[in-house]
């Protein structure tokens, strides 16, 4: 098998980080970006729900106490308050753990934020299995589904700290509701500092023509590892970073399907309603190819260390490489 | 009924053992929440030893008492008490928060271990406890339903929806004990988001509500007896506690809400609890 190279000039080829692999949590990058934005823009107001140390909004709160409101353990009230602030012209960042930001306050987000199309940026941390030991009550595996189903809501899942910083900046500059899914665990920085995130654009992280591996969030590093494993066996995988889940990069996906003949998606989320289904949606409305979706298959998580859980549920690089080989065997 | 000297001694000893287990468990896990359960150990031991009818022999009885840990993050102490009651094997305690263990980071319902409900997301449990109390009432059972809550959890709106409906349906078989330590994750509760006087609030919602010193086991026992004597109203016991109680360097520190002691700190803590 041989790797074909990408044909379209419009493809967004992402500069990859080089040298020693740094590990930084995307929530850390969020905290730093927010602090910077706060210095630049007076209209930015930040809300948190008793988790400011964990979500990293605390630094903003310390620097701009008059524009930071701790709402206590009351996420629904926080989202409603965010909507009111936004209706008066503020750009609001509201943070909690993904479970409570997206789960507890979903209806408030629908009625008070998305229906009136307000500038509330939900920056939800501790998403997915990599929350670790807190277990299933805290491992949000359904938020992409809950958020991408909402009209007006843009959904971004950055792969690393570099992308997270970009995403936060773009979220602040873009009118309307945005959901940003962030992680607790420190994960490898895969992108170079000069990388630019664009809404609705995916990125090409590795070229190849035997199979395409598309991922978001912490799974990007895992599919890159899978691609390395496959390369050692002579299989050239194309790797796509799909941080912009809604809107999604249909062109990049269609081209990968055409040139690779099969797409595997990987996400730290239920396969129902997540990134995989968003990719499948693009393809069934154009030209479907065999797909495999790596993710949680209709079960909740459990306590354990982040890395253990990723491996336990088959979301690690080695499991993804094995799944990719099965997928290649299904190519017509 | 007041506690006998024997009961009082047993409750005190159990509370101390629970505190020691909490330190050992959170230390072994390398993460978790030590502060809350140290503060709750006295009232929880009083509840589990002198009031809650839950034993190996009635574990599967449909009409037995129920308990829900509303502030689910404090589960280390709850698991330790279930172990004291012979419901959780002691060696399981040190697998707390580990992959495959039934002792999840937040309680997960387990009929064999006597864990009556899954919790961890604050605000949900008082509604569930109300539903259980309603079912028991419907069945004409003498079941009592106990739930814990906390000052932090009282910030959730759903608590007050449950408070409204439990009083509306006259759930006299329902008791909530609120761990009121004035601490939450981001700091001092009265500074983060003041819930004010919870006794007055519950009373205004139609509950029988009392303030007690959550470390005074006789006062807690008396409050639980009074709750059991209620015939019309649900009961709220606002238990004033000190987070981290019994370990000097953890007392009143929000920093010990959710951080594990290192080897040295665990040793110091266990020495203080000897
Ligand atoms: C709905 C929800 N929001 C946020 C959290 C995260 N959280 C866990 S404990 C806690 C603080 C709760 O305050 P309290 O129970 O008074 O804390 P303690 O006294 O145990 O320190 C928070 C915000 C959660 N578990 N559930």
């Amino acid at each position: 098998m041989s790797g074909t190279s990408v044909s379209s000039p419009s493809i967004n080829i992402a500069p990859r980080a080089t040298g020693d692999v740094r590990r930084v949590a995307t929530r850390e990058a969020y905290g730093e970006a927010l602090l910077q934005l706060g210095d630049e823009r007076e209209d930015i107001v930040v809300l948190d729900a008793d988790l400011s140390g964990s979500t990293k909004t605390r630094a903003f709160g310390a620097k701009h106490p008059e524009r930071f409101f701790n709402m206590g353990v009351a996420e629904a009230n926080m989202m409603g308050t965010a909507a009111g602030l936004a209706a008066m012209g503020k750009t609001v960042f509201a943070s909690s753990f993904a479970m409570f930001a997206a789960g507890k306050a979903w209806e408030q987000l629908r009625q008070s934020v998305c229906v009136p199309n307000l500038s509330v940026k939900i920056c939800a941390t501790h998403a997915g299995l990599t929350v670790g030991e807190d277990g299933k009550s805290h491992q949000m595996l359904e938020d992409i589904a809950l958020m991408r189903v909402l009209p007006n809501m843009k959904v971004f899942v950055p792969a690393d700290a570099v992308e997270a910083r970009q995403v936060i900046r773009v979220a602040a500059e873009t009118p309307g509701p945005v959901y940003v899914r962030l992680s607790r665990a420190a994960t490898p920085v895969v992108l170079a500092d000069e990388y630019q995130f664009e809404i609705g654009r995916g990125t090409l992280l590795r070229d190849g023509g035997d199979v395409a591996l598309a991922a978001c969030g912490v799974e990007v590093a895992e599919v890159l590892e899978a691609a390395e494993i496959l390369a050692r066996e002579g299989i050239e995988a194309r790797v796509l970073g799909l941080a912009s889940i809604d809107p999604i990069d249909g062109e990049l996906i269609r081209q990968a399907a055409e040139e690779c003949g099969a797409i595997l998606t990987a996400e730290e989320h239920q396969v129902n309603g997540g990134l995989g289904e968003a990719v499948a949606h693009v393809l069934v409305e154009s030209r479907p190819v065999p797909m495999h979706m790596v993710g949680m298959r209709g079960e909740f998580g459990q306590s354990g260390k982040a890395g253990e859980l990723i491996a336990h549920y088959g979301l690690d690089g080695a499991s993804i490489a094995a799944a990719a080989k099965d997928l290649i065997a299904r190519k017509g | 009924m007041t506690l006998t000297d024997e009961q009082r001694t047993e409750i005190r000893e159990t509370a101390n053992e629970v505190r020691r287990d909490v330190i050992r468990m959170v230390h072994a896990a390398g993460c978790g929440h030590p502060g809350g359960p140290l503060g709750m150990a006295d009232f929880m031991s009083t509840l589990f030893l002198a009031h809650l009818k839950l034993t190996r022999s009635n574990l599967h009885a449909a009409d037995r008492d129920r308990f829900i840990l509303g502030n689910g993050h404090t589960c280390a102490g709850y698991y330790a008490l279930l172990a004291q009651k012979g419901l959780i094997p002691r060696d399981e305690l040190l697998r707390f928060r580990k992959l495959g263990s039934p002792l999840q980071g937040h309680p997960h319902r387990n009929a064999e271990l006597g864990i009556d409900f899954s919790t961890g997301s604050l605000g949900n449990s008082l509604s569930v406890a109300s539903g259980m109390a309603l079912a028991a009432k419907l069945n004409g059972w003498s079941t009592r339903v106990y739930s814990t809550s906390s000052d932090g959890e009282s910030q959730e709106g759903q608590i007050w929806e449950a408070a409204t409906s439990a009083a509306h349906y006259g759930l006299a078989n329902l008791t909530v004990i609120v761990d009121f330590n004035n601490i939450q994750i981001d700091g001092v509760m009265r500074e983060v988001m003041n819930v004010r006087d919870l006794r007055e609030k519950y009373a205004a919602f139609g509950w029988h509500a009392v303030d007690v010193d959550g470390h005074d086991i006789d006062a807690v026992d008396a409050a639980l007896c009074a709750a059991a004597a209620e015939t019309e109203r649900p009961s709220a016991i606002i238990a004033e506690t000190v987070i981290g109680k019994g370990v000097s360097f953890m007392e009143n520190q929000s920093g010990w809400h959710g951080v594990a002691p290192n080897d040295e700190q665990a040793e110091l803590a266990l020495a203080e609890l000897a």
Side-chain angles (χ1 to χ4, degrees):
Chain A
M1 290 189 249
S2 69
T4 31
S5 59
V6 170
S7 54
S8 166
S10 68
I11 291 296
N12 190 3
I13 300 176
R16 292 276 303 278
T18 51
D20 287 345
V21 181
R22 282 189 302 138
R23 295 179 80 90
V24 186
T26 50
R27 63 181 167 133
E28 298 281 352
Y30 164 52
E32 287 163 22
L34 193 59
L35 191 60
Q36 234 171 32
L37 282 165
D39 291 342
E40 294 166 20
R41 283 176 48 176
E42 282 290 322
D43 65 316
I44 290 181
V45 173
V46 177
L47 305 183
D48 205 295
D50 193 33
L51 289 167
S52 68
S54 301
T55 64
K56 302 296 166 192
T57 62
R58 182 172 283 170
F60 180 101
K63 186 93 183 279
H64 305 285
E66 73 293 349
R67 287 189 273 141
F68 175 80
F69 299 94
N70 199 326
M71 301 305 291
V73 196
E75 298 79 8
N77 185 45
M78 172 170 77
M79 294 309 178
T81 306
L85 284 158
M88 300 297 279
K90 300 298 181 191
T91 298
V92 187
F93 281 77
S95 280
S96 180
F97 290 174
M99 181 60 72
F100 314 125
K104 206 117 180 149
W106 186 85
E107 206 258 0
Q108 284 75 12
L109 287 175
R110 183 189 186 278
Q111 309 292 11
S112 304
V113 174
C114 289
V115 169
N117 200 16
L118 292 168
S119 283
V120 175
K121 320 299 173 181
I122 301 104
C123 294
T125 68
H126 294 62
L129 287 172
T130 49
V131 163
E133 291 89 342
D134 273 351
K136 67 192 85 187
S137 62
H138 285 54
Q139 289 162 354
M140 186 34 135
L141 297 163
E142 298 87 22
D143 54 333
I144 296 176
L146 286 172
M147 292 298 124
R148 63 180 274 266
V149 78
L150 289 171
N152 293 334
M153 183 69 88
K154 287 166 268 321
V155 181
F156 305 141
V157 185
D160 68 1
V162 170
E163 191 162 48
R165 208 169 295 126
Q166 290 278 327
V167 161
I168 297 303
R169 194 152 273 282
V170 168
E173 287 160 4
T174 309
V178 176
Y179 182 79
V180 184
R181 187 185 209 230
L182 301 161
S183 307
R184 168 184 187 232
T187 51
V189 174
V190 297
L191 294 159
D193 286 331
E194 62 270 25
Y195 165 77
Q196 294 286 324
F197 170 79
E198 280 178 66
I199 295 181
R201 300 288 308 272
T203 56
L204 181 77
L205 289 158
R206 189 182 198 283
D207 201 3
D210 295 328
V211 65
L213 312 177
C216 61
V218 302
E219 285 297 290
V220 170
E222 300 295 339
V223 297
L224 283 167
E225 191 193 317
E228 298 290 325
I229 294 169
L230 293 168
R232 288 200 284 276
E233 300 179 28
I235 299 168
E236 291 304 328
R238 180 177 303 187
V239 174
L240 308 180
L242 297 178
S244 183
I245 292 184
D246 197 351
I248 201 159
D249 192 341
E251 191 195 337
L252 185 73
I253 292 164
R254 283 188 292 271
Q255 193 188 348
E258 204 164 296
E259 294 176 0
C260 303
I263 297 192
L264 177 149
T265 58
E267 60 197 308
E268 192 193 11
H269 186 273
Q270 304 290 353
V271 294
N272 290 335
L275 168 74
E277 284 195 357
V279 170
H281 188 174
V282 169
L283 294 178
V284 292
E285 288 189 350
S286 53
R287 199 179 311 167
V289 293
M291 277 189 71
H292 178 76
M293 299 182 196
V294 170
M296 294 296 278
R297 294 202 164 243
E299 60 183 324
F300 295 112
Q302 60 174 311
S303 294
K305 293 193 190 312
E308 281 174 356
L309 291 165
I310 289 290
H312 181 82
Y313 291 103
L315 274 70
D316 60 313
S319 303
I320 292 168
K325 284 195 277 183
D326 291 345
L327 174 61
I328 290 168
R330 285 168 48 209
K331 274 168 53 165
Chain B
M1 254 188 24
T2 52
L3 295 172
T4 62
D5 287 346
E6 206 175 309
Q7 275 181 308
R8 204 173 284 122
T9 309
E10 196 196 354
I11 291 169
R12 289 225 176 89
E13 282 173 6
T14 300
N16 197 58
E17 234 1 86
V18 165
R19 289 188 167 100
R20 291 175 62 80
D21 281 338
V22 166
I23 297 295
R24 292 190 194 108
M25 290 165 72
V26 177
H27 175 246
C31 59
H33 304 80
L38 291 177
M40 293 161 70
D42 299 312
F43 77 69
M44 283 285 281
S45 299
T46 310
L47 173 66
F48 272 64
L49 269 57
H51 293 268
L52 179 74
K53 295 187 187 70
L54 168 65
T55 58
R56 278 222 75 80
S57 52
N58 79 352
L59 181 61
H60 297 295
D63 63 348
R64 71 160 167 81
D65 289 353
R66 296 295 197 283
F67 174 81
I68 308 186
L69 188 77
N71 46 346
H73 59 280
T74 64
C75 58
Y78 174 38
Y79 296 153
L81 268 166
L82 289 173
Q84 289 278 345
K85 292 213 130 196
L87 291 160
I88 290 177
R90 278 204 64 81
D91 49 359
E92 194 61 62
L93 292 181
L94 293 183
R95 300 215 315 123
F96 175 47
R97 293 187 148 242
K98 303 233 160 88
L99 189 67
S101 167
L103 305 189
Q104 292 285 296
H106 292 78
H108 180 56
R109 191 170 190 230
N110 187 317
E112 293 312 312
L113 304 183
I115 301 172
D116 288 334
F117 212 77
S118 303
T119 61
S121 177
L122 296 167
N124 294 0
S125 302
L126 194 55
S127 302
V128 178
S130 300
M132 289 178 168
L134 196 56
K137 197 178 165 188
L138 207 55
N139 290 347
W141 293 344
S142 58
T143 311
R144 291 205 62 81
V145 180
Y146 296 95
S147 172
T148 56
S149 182
S150 61
D151 49 339
E153 191 186 27
S154 306
Q155 293 162 352
E156 286 285 357
Q158 190 183 340
I159 290 290
W160 304 104
E161 298 179 26
T164 305
S165 61
H168 183 81
Y169 287 111
L171 302 178
N173 53 349
L174 173 67
T175 301
V176 62
I177 308 182
V178 182
D179 177 43
F180 196 104
N181 58 21
N182 195 26
I183 292 285
Q184 57 187 110
I185 294 185
D186 276 346
V188 173
M189 181 277 294
R190 289 200 179 84
E191 290 164 14
V192 174
M193 182 55 62
N194 193 351
V195 299
R196 300 174 190 273
D197 190 323
L198 290 184
R199 191 200 59 76
E200 277 182 11
K201 274 188 169 174
Y202 272 101
F205 276 76
W207 290 51
H208 162 240
V210 294
D211 284 317
V212 298
D213 174 348
H215 302 299
D216 179 343
I217 59 178
D218 289 294
V220 172
D221 175 67
L224 285 165
C225 288
E230 273 293 321
T231 54
E232 308 279 321
R233 300 173 298 173
S235 296
I237 299 171
I238 317 303
E240 198 168 317
T241 61
V242 174
I243 193 172
K245 177 80 176 176
V247 178
S248 57
F249 58 92
M250 293 187 176
E251 288 189 359
N252 266 316
Q253 302 293 318
S254 67
W256 286 104
H257 161 94
V259 173
N262 61 27
D263 294 349
E264 193 189 332
Q265 290 162 333
E267 207 173 303
L268 276 171
L270 288 171
E272 288 193 25
L273 295 167

